[in-house]
Amino acid sequence: MKFSIERAALLKAVAQAQSVVERRNTIPILANVLIEAEGSDVHFRATDLDIEVVDKAPCMVERAGSTTVSAVTLHEIVRKLPDGAMVTLSDDGAAGRLTVQAGRSNFNLATLPKEDFPVMASSEYASNFSAPAPVLRRLFDKSKFAISTEETRYYLTGVYMHVAEGDEGRALRCVATDGHRLARIDAALPEGAEEMPGVIVPRKTVGELRKLLDDDEMQIAVSVSETKIRFATPQITLTSKVIDGTFPDYSRVIPAGNTRRLEVDAAEFAKAVDRVATVSSERSRAVKLSLDEDRLILSVNAPDSGAAEEELAVAYADERLEIGFNAKYLLEIASQVDRENAVFMFNSSGDPTLMREGNDLSAVYVVMPMRV
């Protein structure tokens, strides 16, 4: 195998591949990337047995062939090469070495036989559709903060993507929750997605998928089956197993009868919460919201480190209310708001609180209160 490729194209392809590779693994071949050169393209394939990413880049192939080499080492080498360099990769199968040449630099890397590389079994996808990158980016970006980190409740360690009845007909919906907060984001249902089975997309997959979604013009081809999900652009294909579990009935958690309405400038609110939370003790980080007519007082009282208080002008016309929240949760939810105003709907100091962005009903957040 021998081919030449521009550094920028090589770096982009290898960066995506090496981020899938697990740093600590007991199977040496999983630390490698499979390089396959043929025609006028080279494919870089990496896997951790749960996720597989295949990255295609244009190159000049002198000799077709394939080999596997350490993903992290190759990425580090390419990253340190000068901009605009032409990189030549050649493989001597008998010696088990891959040579990387660029300008006056020359590297010799150990390879492992390509036959040992695990390729994910192809499967039949029940549903195939395409969605614009900005739509998928919004669905996952706004919901991923609520993914649980508790491995014991493994079915909450991902984003539940499914078809649901939204406020404006059927919608493609992403939901994530960790029991303390919940995010529910809707988007218009793409053509062909009507029969899509509901799947839980793992946290790592959500992180890797994000790298495919930066180009606003891009259409992403999505394929879903009961056990796998695949996202593809012309250059990159990301295939992942989905979490084998049942996502709980989240609709029971979303309060419908909250009547006390607070409207506040989201950016100002987030900054104020951040300021008063500075003095709170790390473990509880509780912030108290005291609501009165058209004013909100944020306060923190931490006996060991001090106290803080800040007043904000808000729109609130109901009776007085005092309610406490974890500052981190409030900040994360407030930072999801793209519009100017966040609307909080309260019931009482012990009930879950609902938040949405202005009058937009396609994004709904729920946060549980704390005792303060």
Side-chain angles (χ1 to χ4, degrees):
M1 176 186 84
K2 185 175 183 182
F3 65 92
S4 301
I5 183 169
E6 216 266 319
R7 172 192 175 263
L10 179 60
L11 181 61
K12 191 165 178 260
V14 175
Q16 181 86 30
Q18 67 92 34
S19 69
V20 170
V21 169
E22 282 293 336
R23 292 284 181 274
R24 300 182 301 276
N25 57 42
T26 49
I27 310 169
I29 193 84
L30 290 184
N32 280 17
V33 55
L34 173 64
I35 306 171
E36 301 168 296
E38 198 179 347
S40 60
D41 292 313
V42 58
H43 291 84
F44 296 88
R45 187 186 297 264
T47 183
D48 67 357
L49 296 181
D50 289 328
I51 304 175
E52 179 186 74
V53 66
V54 183
D55 214 309
K56 185 172 96 172
C59 68
M60 291 181 293
V61 179
E62 282 185 44
R63 275 199 315 276
S66 53
T67 186
T68 82
V69 66
S70 163
V72 175
T73 311
L74 182 62
H75 177 247
E76 282 298 298
I77 288 171
V78 178
R79 193 173 61 79
K80 292 171 183 174
L81 289 175
D83 264 347
M86 250 342 239
V87 188
T88 304
L89 284 85
S90 53
D91 165 52
D92 176 0
R97 286 279 184 261
L98 176 77
T99 307
V100 181
Q101 276 177 308
R104 297 180 180 183
S105 309
N106 202 330
F107 302 88
N108 238 328
L109 304 178
T111 62
L112 286 172
K114 64 177 186 291
E115 291 75 27
D116 296 350
F117 194 87
V119 173
M120 207 178 249
S122 61
S123 60
E124 290 292 313
Y125 292 100
S127 175
N128 297 284
F129 59 92
S130 75
V135 170
L136 290 175
R137 188 168 67 214
R138 175 178 171 274
L139 281 172
F140 285 101
D141 273 6
K142 285 183 172 296
S143 55
K144 66 184 179 190
F145 75 92
I147 296 175
S148 174
T149 51
E150 276 183 59
E151 294 305 322
T152 48
R153 300 164 78 185
Y154 63 93
Y155 49 85
L156 295 182
T157 57
V159 172
Y160 181 41
M161 182 169 144
H162 59 297
V163 178
E165 287 299 331
D167 292 297
E168 295 170 6
R170 301 188 78 198
L172 181 63
R173 177 175 288 177
C174 281
V175 179
T177 181
D178 64 357
H180 303 291
R181 61 249 161 101
L182 176 144
R184 189 198 81 189
I185 318 295
D186 287 359
L189 190 64
E191 207 173 312
E194 296 83 359
E195 301 303 312
M196 183 186 101
V199 289
I200 306 172
V201 185
R203 183 196 300 103
K204 183 175 174 182
T205 307
V206 172
E208 291 302 323
L209 168 64
R210 184 63 187 78
K211 297 169 191 167
L212 275 65
L213 305 178
D214 283 328
D215 182 357
D216 283 356
E217 303 300 310
M218 189 69 78
Q219 284 285 333
I220 311 289
V222 186
S223 307
V224 187
S225 75
E226 296 283 350
T227 55
K228 288 203 186 91
I229 187 161
R230 188 177 72 199
F231 300 93
T233 70
Q235 285 76 40
I236 302 172
T237 304
L238 174 70
T239 311
S240 167
K241 292 179 182 171
V242 298
I243 293 172
D244 181 16
T246 307
F247 201 80
D249 178 11
Y250 58 87
S251 57
R252 295 209 317 268
V253 188
I254 299 174
N258 287 13
T259 52
R260 299 178 179 184
R261 185 178 193 275
L262 159 72
E263 189 161 344
V264 58
D265 181 306
E268 290 300 318
F269 177 73
K271 285 177 192 157
V273 170
D274 199 18
R275 280 192 288 268
V276 295
T278 314
V279 299
S280 68
S281 58
E282 267 309 302
R283 202 169 44 82
S284 66
R285 305 236 18 207
V287 172
K288 184 160 90 176
L289 279 64
S290 306
L291 284 157
D292 216 334
E293 194 170 334
D294 286 347
R295 73 176 194 161
L296 163 68
I297 295 174
L298 296 164
S299 60
V300 167
N301 197 350
D304 47 351
S305 56
E309 169 170 317
E310 181 160 342
E311 188 174 319
L312 285 175
V314 297
Y316 181 75
D318 289 283
E319 63 232 53
R320 289 197 55 182
L321 175 69
E322 290 195 345
I323 187 167
F325 293 103
N326 181 317
K328 177 171 167 272
Y329 297 166
L330 273 189
L331 279 174
E332 284 182 339
I333 281 186
S335 66
Q336 301 305 320
V337 178
D338 298 329
R339 293 181 165 76
E340 294 246 319
N341 286 355
V343 174
F344 288 87
M345 302 296 287
F346 301 99
N347 187 25
S348 75
S349 60
D351 292 319
T353 294
L354 186 89
M355 192 209 84
R356 56 173 198 263
E357 307 178 32
N359 299 320
D360 181 10
L361 299 174
S362 70
V364 170
Y365 308 93
V366 179
V367 61
M368 296 298 283
M370 276 177 85
R371 277 207 193 87
V372 283

PDB file of all heavy atoms in Angstrom, residues 242-262:
ATOM      1  N   VAL A 242     -27.115   0.825  20.188  1.00  0.00           N
ATOM      2  CA  VAL A 242     -27.922   1.655  21.082  1.00  0.00           C
ATOM      3  C   VAL A 242     -28.034   0.957  22.428  1.00  0.00           C
ATOM      4  O   VAL A 242     -27.739  -0.235  22.547  1.00  0.00           O
ATOM      5  CB  VAL A 242     -29.329   1.943  20.488  1.00  0.00           C
ATOM      6  CG1 VAL A 242     -29.193   2.712  19.181  1.00  0.00           C
ATOM      7  CG2 VAL A 242     -30.117   0.673  20.265  1.00  0.00           C
ATOM      8  N   ILE A 243     -28.423   1.698  23.447  1.00  0.00           N
ATOM      9  CA  ILE A 243     -28.496   1.122  24.795  1.00  0.00           C
ATOM     10  C   ILE A 243     -29.678   0.160  24.868  1.00  0.00           C
ATOM     11  O   ILE A 243     -30.799   0.510  24.495  1.00  0.00           O
ATOM     12  CB  ILE A 243     -28.607   2.241  25.855  1.00  0.00           C
ATOM     13  CG1 ILE A 243     -27.307   3.044  25.881  1.00  0.00           C
ATOM     14  CG2 ILE A 243     -28.908   1.663  27.231  1.00  0.00           C
ATOM     15  CD1 ILE A 243     -27.348   4.289  26.733  1.00  0.00           C
ATOM     16  N   ASP A 244     -29.399  -1.039  25.334  1.00  0.00           N
ATOM     17  CA  ASP A 244     -30.427  -2.072  25.406  1.00  0.00           C
ATOM     18  C   ASP A 244     -31.189  -1.910  26.719  1.00  0.00           C
ATOM     19  O   ASP A 244     -30.781  -2.417  27.755  1.00  0.00           O
ATOM     20  CB  ASP A 244     -29.757  -3.452  25.327  1.00  0.00           C
ATOM     21  CG  ASP A 244     -30.776  -4.572  25.370  1.00  0.00           C
ATOM     22  OD1 ASP A 244     -31.970  -4.288  25.153  1.00  0.00           O
ATOM     23  OD2 ASP A 244     -30.381  -5.725  25.622  1.00  0.00           O
ATOM     24  N   GLY A 245     -32.256  -1.158  26.684  1.00  0.00           N
ATOM     25  CA  GLY A 245     -33.037  -0.912  27.900  1.00  0.00           C
ATOM     26  C   GLY A 245     -34.298  -0.156  27.533  1.00  0.00           C
ATOM     27  O   GLY A 245     -34.478   0.272  26.394  1.00  0.00           O
ATOM     28  N   THR A 246     -35.177   0.000  28.496  1.00  0.00           N
ATOM     29  CA  THR A 246     -36.423   0.730  28.249  1.00  0.00           C
ATOM     30  C   THR A 246     -36.350   2.076  28.942  1.00  0.00           C
ATOM     31  O   THR A 246     -36.108   2.148  30.152  1.00  0.00           O
ATOM     32  CB  THR A 246     -37.626  -0.075  28.796  1.00  0.00           C
ATOM     33  OG1 THR A 246     -37.556  -1.387  28.238  1.00  0.00           O
ATOM     34  CG2 THR A 246     -38.934   0.573  28.399  1.00  0.00           C
ATOM     35  N   PHE A 247     -36.555   3.135  28.171  1.00  0.00           N
ATOM     36  CA  PHE A 247     -36.527   4.477  28.752  1.00  0.00           C
ATOM     37  C   PHE A 247     -37.825   4.682  29.526  1.00  0.00           C
ATOM     38  O   PHE A 247     -38.896   4.302  29.062  1.00  0.00           O
ATOM     39  CB  PHE A 247     -36.398   5.519  27.636  1.00  0.00           C
ATOM     40  CG  PHE A 247     -35.869   6.838  28.108  1.00  0.00           C
ATOM     41  CD1 PHE A 247     -34.510   7.023  28.322  1.00  0.00           C
ATOM     42  CD2 PHE A 247     -36.717   7.914  28.344  1.00  0.00           C
ATOM     43  CE1 PHE A 247     -34.005   8.244  28.753  1.00  0.00           C
ATOM     44  CE2 PHE A 247     -36.230   9.139  28.774  1.00  0.00           C
ATOM     45  CZ  PHE A 247     -34.863   9.294  28.980  1.00  0.00           C
ATOM     46  N   PRO A 248     -37.754   5.252  30.737  1.00  0.00           N
ATOM     47  CA  PRO A 248     -38.982   5.389  31.539  1.00  0.00           C
ATOM     48  C   PRO A 248     -39.993   6.345  30.896  1.00  0.00           C
ATOM     49  O   PRO A 248     -39.647   7.135  30.018  1.00  0.00           O
ATOM     50  CB  PRO A 248     -38.466   5.961  32.864  1.00  0.00           C
ATOM     51  CG  PRO A 248     -37.122   6.521  32.568  1.00  0.00           C
ATOM     52  CD  PRO A 248     -36.566   5.767  31.422  1.00  0.00           C
ATOM     53  N   ASP A 249     -41.229   6.264  31.342  1.00  0.00           N
ATOM     54  CA  ASP A 249     -42.289   7.137  30.831  1.00  0.00           C
ATOM     55  C   ASP A 249     -42.069   8.544  31.388  1.00  0.00           C
ATOM     56  O   ASP A 249     -42.501   8.879  32.491  1.00  0.00           O
ATOM     57  CB  ASP A 249     -43.661   6.588  31.252  1.00  0.00           C
ATOM     58  CG  ASP A 249     -44.796   7.496  30.784  1.00  0.00           C
ATOM     59  OD1 ASP A 249     -44.517   8.411  29.981  1.00  0.00           O
ATOM     60  OD2 ASP A 249     -45.936   7.300  31.227  1.00  0.00           O
ATOM     61  N   TYR A 250     -41.374   9.363  30.593  1.00  0.00           N
ATOM     62  CA  TYR A 250     -40.972  10.695  31.066  1.00  0.00           C
ATOM     63  C   TYR A 250     -42.144  11.667  31.141  1.00  0.00           C
ATOM     64  O   TYR A 250     -42.087  12.662  31.858  1.00  0.00           O
ATOM     65  CB  TYR A 250     -39.899  11.264  30.130  1.00  0.00           C
ATOM     66  CG  TYR A 250     -40.354  11.363  28.705  1.00  0.00           C
ATOM     67  CD1 TYR A 250     -41.033  12.492  28.255  1.00  0.00           C
ATOM     68  CD2 TYR A 250     -40.156  10.324  27.804  1.00  0.00           C
ATOM     69  CE1 TYR A 250     -41.489  12.579  26.960  1.00  0.00           C
ATOM     70  CE2 TYR A 250     -40.607  10.407  26.499  1.00  0.00           C
ATOM     71  CZ  TYR A 250     -41.271  11.541  26.084  1.00  0.00           C
ATOM     72  OH  TYR A 250     -41.737  11.624  24.797  1.00  0.00           O
ATOM     73  N   SER A 251     -43.240  11.378  30.412  1.00  0.00           N
ATOM     74  CA  SER A 251     -44.342  12.353  30.373  1.00  0.00           C
ATOM     75  C   SER A 251     -44.979  12.526  31.756  1.00  0.00           C
ATOM     76  O   SER A 251     -45.550  13.569  32.053  1.00  0.00           O
ATOM     77  CB  SER A 251     -45.401  11.923  29.359  1.00  0.00           C
ATOM     78  OG  SER A 251     -45.877  10.635  29.681  1.00  0.00           O
ATOM     79  N   ARG A 252     -44.842  11.494  32.615  1.00  0.00           N
ATOM     80  CA  ARG A 252     -45.418  11.607  33.967  1.00  0.00           C
ATOM     81  C   ARG A 252     -44.693  12.649  34.816  1.00  0.00           C
ATOM     82  O   ARG A 252     -45.236  13.175  35.775  1.00  0.00           O
ATOM     83  CB  ARG A 252     -45.323  10.253  34.689  1.00  0.00           C
ATOM     84  CG  ARG A 252     -46.154   9.152  34.063  1.00  0.00           C
ATOM     85  CD  ARG A 252     -46.584   8.138  35.120  1.00  0.00           C
ATOM     86  NE  ARG A 252     -45.518   7.797  36.047  1.00  0.00           N
ATOM     87  CZ  ARG A 252     -44.681   6.769  35.877  1.00  0.00           C
ATOM     88  NH1 ARG A 252     -44.782   6.001  34.821  1.00  0.00           N
ATOM     89  NH2 ARG A 252     -43.742   6.512  36.768  1.00  0.00           N
ATOM     90  N   VAL A 253     -43.434  12.918  34.448  1.00  0.00           N
ATOM     91  CA  VAL A 253     -42.609  13.839  35.250  1.00  0.00           C
ATOM     92  C   VAL A 253     -42.859  15.293  34.867  1.00  0.00           C
ATOM     93  O   VAL A 253     -42.604  16.196  35.645  1.00  0.00           O
ATOM     94  CB  VAL A 253     -41.107  13.504  35.020  1.00  0.00           C
ATOM     95  CG1 VAL A 253     -40.228  14.287  35.971  1.00  0.00           C
ATOM     96  CG2 VAL A 253     -40.850  12.022  35.174  1.00  0.00           C
ATOM     97  N   ILE A 254     -43.327  15.505  33.625  1.00  0.00           N
ATOM     98  CA  ILE A 254     -43.475  16.888  33.145  1.00  0.00           C
ATOM     99  C   ILE A 254     -44.763  17.483  33.722  1.00  0.00           C
ATOM    100  O   ILE A 254     -45.856  17.002  33.429  1.00  0.00           O
ATOM    101  CB  ILE A 254     -43.482  16.926  31.604  1.00  0.00           C
ATOM    102  CG1 ILE A 254     -42.152  16.375  31.087  1.00  0.00           C
ATOM    103  CG2 ILE A 254     -43.718  18.345  31.103  1.00  0.00           C
ATOM    104  CD1 ILE A 254     -42.066  16.206  29.593  1.00  0.00           C
ATOM    105  N   PRO A 255     -44.627  18.484  34.581  1.00  0.00           N
ATOM    106  CA  PRO A 255     -45.824  19.020  35.242  1.00  0.00           C
ATOM    107  C   PRO A 255     -46.727  19.767  34.263  1.00  0.00           C
ATOM    108  O   PRO A 255     -46.249  20.516  33.413  1.00  0.00           O
ATOM    109  CB  PRO A 255     -45.253  19.972  36.298  1.00  0.00           C
ATOM    110  CG  PRO A 255     -43.877  20.305  35.843  1.00  0.00           C
ATOM    111  CD  PRO A 255     -43.400  19.197  34.973  1.00  0.00           C
ATOM    112  N   ALA A 256     -48.032  19.523  34.381  1.00  0.00           N
ATOM    113  CA  ALA A 256     -48.974  20.185  33.476  1.00  0.00           C
ATOM    114  C   ALA A 256     -49.749  21.294  34.197  1.00  0.00           C
ATOM    115  O   ALA A 256     -50.312  22.183  33.565  1.00  0.00           O
ATOM    116  CB  ALA A 256     -49.950  19.161  32.913  1.00  0.00           C
ATOM    117  N   GLY A 257     -49.780  21.243  35.542  1.00  0.00           N
ATOM    118  CA  GLY A 257     -50.644  22.176  36.272  1.00  0.00           C
ATOM    119  C   GLY A 257     -49.916  23.320  36.947  1.00  0.00           C
ATOM    120  O   GLY A 257     -50.459  23.954  37.853  1.00  0.00           O
ATOM    121  N   ASN A 258     -48.662  23.579  36.561  1.00  0.00           N
ATOM    122  CA  ASN A 258     -47.929  24.691  37.184  1.00  0.00           C
ATOM    123  C   ASN A 258     -48.457  26.028  36.670  1.00  0.00           C
ATOM    124  O   ASN A 258     -48.468  26.274  35.466  1.00  0.00           O
ATOM    125  CB  ASN A 258     -46.427  24.577  36.872  1.00  0.00           C
ATOM    126  CG  ASN A 258     -45.778  23.446  37.648  1.00  0.00           C
ATOM    127  OD1 ASN A 258     -46.465  22.616  38.224  1.00  0.00           O
ATOM    128  ND2 ASN A 258     -44.457  23.405  37.655  1.00  0.00           N
ATOM    129  N   THR A 259     -48.891  26.894  37.594  1.00  0.00           N
ATOM    130  CA  THR A 259     -49.557  28.133  37.166  1.00  0.00           C
ATOM    131  C   THR A 259     -48.764  29.398  37.478  1.00  0.00           C
ATOM    132  O   THR A 259     -49.000  30.437  36.877  1.00  0.00           O
ATOM    133  CB  THR A 259     -50.925  28.251  37.858  1.00  0.00           C
ATOM    134  OG1 THR A 259     -50.717  28.093  39.266  1.00  0.00           O
ATOM    135  CG2 THR A 259     -51.880  27.183  37.354  1.00  0.00           C
ATOM    136  N   ARG A 260     -47.831  29.330  38.410  1.00  0.00           N
ATOM    137  CA  ARG A 260     -47.094  30.556  38.770  1.00  0.00           C
ATOM    138  C   ARG A 260     -46.007  30.817  37.729  1.00  0.00           C
ATOM    139  O   ARG A 260     -45.074  30.034  37.592  1.00  0.00           O
ATOM    140  CB  ARG A 260     -46.461  30.398  40.148  1.00  0.00           C
ATOM    141  CG  ARG A 260     -47.496  30.170  41.233  1.00  0.00           C
ATOM    142  CD  ARG A 260     -46.820  29.979  42.568  1.00  0.00           C
ATOM    143  NE  ARG A 260     -47.771  29.790  43.638  1.00  0.00           N
ATOM    144  CZ  ARG A 260     -47.427  29.671  44.907  1.00  0.00           C
ATOM    145  NH1 ARG A 260     -46.150  29.711  45.257  1.00  0.00           N
ATOM    146  NH2 ARG A 260     -48.343  29.502  45.849  1.00  0.00           N
ATOM    147  N   ARG A 261     -46.140  31.942  37.043  1.00  0.00           N
ATOM    148  CA  ARG A 261     -45.290  32.181  35.876  1.00  0.00           C
ATOM    149  C   ARG A 261     -44.265  33.278  36.140  1.00  0.00           C
ATOM    150  O   ARG A 261     -44.610  34.386  36.517  1.00  0.00           O
ATOM    151  CB  ARG A 261     -46.179  32.587  34.698  1.00  0.00           C
ATOM    152  CG  ARG A 261     -45.464  32.763  33.380  1.00  0.00           C
ATOM    153  CD  ARG A 261     -46.498  33.112  32.300  1.00  0.00           C
ATOM    154  NE  ARG A 261     -45.946  33.012  30.955  1.00  0.00           N
ATOM    155  CZ  ARG A 261     -45.283  33.980  30.351  1.00  0.00           C
ATOM    156  NH1 ARG A 261     -45.078  35.130  30.990  1.00  0.00           N
ATOM    157  NH2 ARG A 261     -44.814  33.817  29.119  1.00  0.00           N
ATOM    158  N   LEU A 262     -42.997  32.929  35.933  1.00  0.00           N
ATOM    159  CA  LEU A 262     -41.910  33.902  36.080  1.00  0.00           C
ATOM    160  C   LEU A 262     -41.230  34.053  34.730  1.00  0.00           C
ATOM    161  O   LEU A 262     -40.852  33.067  34.105  1.00  0.00           O
ATOM    162  CB  LEU A 262     -40.888  33.394  37.110  1.00  0.00           C
ATOM    163  CG  LEU A 262     -39.483  34.001  37.048  1.00  0.00           C
ATOM    164  CD1 LEU A 262     -39.506  35.433  37.552  1.00  0.00           C
ATOM    165  CD2 LEU A 262     -38.490  33.190  37.864  1.00  0.00           C
TER     166      LEU A 262
END
